[in-house]
Amino acid sequence: MNAAPEAQSLRDLYRELVMDHARNPRNFGKLEASTHSAEGINPLCGDKLILYLDVGADDRVRAASFEGTGCVISLASASLLTETVVGMRSTNAARYFDVLRSRLSKAPGGTEPVIDLGKLQALEGVREYPSRVKCATLPWHTLGAALSCSDTPATTE
Amino acid sequence: MSRAEVQLPVADAAAKIAERRADFPALHQEVNGCPLAYLDNAASAQQPLAVIDTIANYQRRDHANVHRGVHTLSQRATEAYEGSRDKLRDFIGAQSRSEIVLTSGTTESINLVAQSFVRPRAGAGDKILITYLEHHANIVPWQIVCEQTGAELTVAPIDDRGQVDLERLYAMMTEDVRMLAVGHVSNALGTINPVEDITAVARDRDIPVLIDGAQATPHMQVDVSDLGCDFYAFSGHKMFGPTGTGVLYGREALLEAMPPYQGGGDMILEVRFDKTTYNELPYKFEAGTPNIAGVVGLGAAVDYLGEVGMENIGAYEQELLAYMTRRLSEIDGIRLYGTAERKASVQSFLLDDIHPHDLGTIVDHKGVAVRSGHHCAMPVMQHFCIPGTLRASLAFYNNHADVDRLVEALLAAKALFA
């Protein structure tokens, strides 16, 4: 990304790691052996994604993938999600989202559980862009829908 | 007046229009450290001081409920409210004030016609005809009526310039069509539909016509008598008035025959438990205390537009649209959506493979306000097989500098994502 004279918050939003995941999304495409899947829709822009999970008998996510269209933020978030949740127990993955959502929605406070978000910290730039938080959380809403085997598409609303 | 202006009457008119920018306080601010370029007028237009002050003065001095009291304030409020109705009647060339139903906006106006006019007349085997260009507000109310009555929604296609395929539309106007609902101007693409021709064909075939005029009234002189339509719906906030105001024009004979849309106060003559008698037109369709301050403000907006002159506005905006189209076309990697022969000052586009949300965020950083997304017209996006666009929509208070700022911001976005 060109780090020319743009505002710091814009550079924060479109960090290198985010741009990289948006341009070259990991685990993109249908997961043939999926045990869970769900569709996510952002009604604001009409973006759609489908998330696929393969959850083992031990409740751990063995593989994850996604397909769909989206902005830089939602594509990067979905790509990072598919890397992050592999190996997690499905119940932990849902709790992880709660932490991520609160981290993305407001400035960090003292009361939040201390969890290392790893690469997902790269998405923290959306904090300065309330209208873009939903772009980052859509894949995670979809993860929740997939794990709860919901038939209705997940939305950011 | 300078010599150049005397020699160039067009430039003179343009200069006069440009002075109007000063009337809009919201335009004179910085956003993200840059002067605001407000290019989201198709979503909602800014209000001139004349409107803002009229509303404030009404709230400060004249507010009471309308049609209810003998006291002075109620009379003042009623006069101001009903005065706006007369202005709106003149604004669109309606025959009678009975034909001007005040609503919360285009959406309510269309729902009113769907439920009170079409629903009792439609059944299985009947059709409601719309086009691919429509805003969701001119799609979903008809889908609801179709679910209620068993009628079928049919949709006339558009071409790749964003124009309704008239041949197909006319072929679809068969005798089982209970309503033809068509936009005057497309909100997503700016296309001006030939509604005069369409209504002429519809009248020959006895098909009632509703025109969604939400995007037309800010840009052009509308005369419902010339158009020959049965219903015309529009919104206050698109034409420099307040949100929560709008109009349903309906031909008197049709409105007369229609049942009320909602029940409540103000829409009745007499209420008895054995029988309630409804009020006369247009009050039959105005249940409950209306948005009095908003309607009073809308009257001020109509006055204001009258001073500026719709013809002046149209001519100025066409020049500005041509400038914007040219400047945008010069950008490498731009794709314009909506290139109809007749257009209002709206342009949808995409740049390289940058998502409209990312583009919208970056141009906002430069103080440029545009809409990104599907513009409540998802079928239009589906026609072009894209999730959404960026849309710049101009009002008469915009100028070349606003367009230049948009172009600069787009070039910055391009550099950022290069």
Side-chain angles (χ1 to χ4, degrees), chain A residues 14 23 43 47 72 129 132, chain B residues 355 357-358 361 365 374 417:
Chain A
Y14 295 115
R23 282 188 176 131
D47 282 346
V72 165
Y129 298 86
R132 302 302 300 276
Chain B
H355 190 279
H357 262 185
D358 294 316
T361 293
H365 258 271
H374 52 63
F417 284 104

Side-chain angles (χ1 to χ4, degrees), chain A residues 95-149:
Chain A
R95 220 173 296 147
Y96 204 79
F97 176 34
D98 290 339
V99 175
L100 178 73
R101 180 159 48 182
S102 88
R103 204 74 73 80
L104 298 185
S105 302
K106 55 179 189 279
T111 55
E112 288 164 0
V114 181
I115 290 187
D116 181 9
L117 289 177
K119 284 182 181 176
L120 286 169
Q121 283 180 24
L123 293 169
E124 284 180 344
V126 300
R127 245 195 249 126
E128 299 298 316
Y129 298 86
S131 66
R132 302 302 300 276
V133 171
K134 288 175 179 178
C135 309
T137 56
L138 176 65
W140 293 85
H141 283 290
T142 313
L143 173 73
L147 290 174
S148 65
C149 301

Side-chain angles (χ1 to χ4, degrees), chain A residues 28-155:
Chain A
F28 192 83
K30 191 173 178 183
L31 189 64
E32 293 302 337
S34 66
T35 55
H36 297 66
S37 71
E39 186 177 63
I41 296 172
N42 183 347
L44 188 63
C45 58
D47 282 346
K48 258 189 213 175
L49 68 91
I50 304 174
L51 187 71
Y52 303 94
L53 299 171
D54 174 16
V55 182
D58 60 353
D59 192 40
R60 286 190 190 276
V61 178
R62 285 194 294 232
S65 79
F66 79 103
E67 55 187 2
T69 56
C71 61
V72 165
I73 305 303
S74 66
L75 285 176
S77 178
S79 173
L80 286 163
L81 179 150
T82 59
E83 284 193 334
T84 307
V85 296
V86 171
M88 272 191 194
R89 284 188 191 280
S90 67
T91 43
N92 280 352
R95 220 173 296 147
Y96 204 79
F97 176 34
D98 290 339
V99 175
L100 178 73
R101 180 159 48 182
S102 88
R103 204 74 73 80
L104 298 185
S105 302
K106 55 179 189 279
T111 55
E112 288 164 0
V114 181
I115 290 187
D116 181 9
L117 289 177
K119 284 182 181 176
L120 286 169
Q121 283 180 24
L123 293 169
E124 284 180 344
V126 300
R127 245 195 249 126
E128 299 298 316
Y129 298 86
S131 66
R132 302 302 300 276
V133 171
K134 288 175 179 178
C135 309
T137 56
L138 176 65
W140 293 85
H141 283 290
T142 313
L143 173 73
L147 290 174
S148 65
C149 301
S150 171
D151 285 339
T152 49
T155 82

